[in-house]
Structures are given as C-alpha cells and as structure tokens.
Amino acid sequence: MSFEIVLQIFYWILRIYSGIILIDVILSWIPSLYQYKIFRGINKMASFVLEPFRGCVIARLDFSPVIAIVLLNAISTFIYGY
C-alpha cells in the first residue's frame, strides 16, 4: 500500500512539473515578467529539465519544451498506468 502512495506522489510531481514547463513557455512570450522573483523561479525550475533538450531547434523554433513534456507524460503513464 505504501508503494502505491509513493507512485501516486511521483505521478503528481511529474504532472505538476509538466505544468511548470508549460507556464514557462507562456512566460517566455512576455520577457518583461522575468523581473519578478516568482517568474524567475519558475524559469529556473523549468530550465533544470529543459537544458538537456535545448539543441532541438528546427526552423528557429525550440522544441525542447515539447520533448520534455512528452517525456514526462510518458514516464508518468509508464509508472502509474494511465
């Protein structure tokens, strides 16, 4: 029973992290918001996962958030089963 709780917690952490990456993508359209500490924190949390994928640029579009979100969703689906 405790293993299932750990899996649920891990599942929700991955889902929240996917949301943080999505928020960072939206914030990147308004760079002046990075003067606030909360938005810089969101960017720093998202950059932790996005940095390994930063080279995925096609036609001047950065696909690293898409790859990271798909990967996080695949991991959470594999772990929790849906």
Side-chain angles (χ1 to χ4, degrees):
M1 176 142 163
S2 62
F3 185 68
E4 184 176 324
I5 292 171
V6 171
L7 287 179
Q8 284 180 343
I9 290 170
F10 193 62
Y11 170 80
W12 283 107
I13 287 172
L14 292 175
R15 302 300 290 172
I16 290 169
Y17 214 86
S18 294
I20 288 171
I21 292 172
L22 185 61
I23 290 170
D24 185 54
V25 168
I26 294 168
L27 289 175
S28 71
W29 298 337
I30 311 168
S32 63
L33 291 177
Y34 288 120
Q35 68 182 341
Y36 300 106
K37 191 181 270 189
I38 184 88
F39 299 127
R40 284 193 311 261
I42 290 171
N43 180 259
K44 191 176 275 192
M45 285 189 292
S47 293
F48 179 73
V49 170
L50 294 177
E51 283 301 319
F53 305 111
R54 285 286 184 206
C56 300
V57 176
I58 300 172
R60 295 179 37 171
L61 294 174
D62 184 13
F63 284 97
S64 58
V66 174
I67 294 169
I69 289 173
V70 167
L71 185 63
L72 289 173
N73 287 339
I75 292 170
S76 65
T77 301
F78 177 74
I79 287 174
Y80 203 60
Y82 60 85

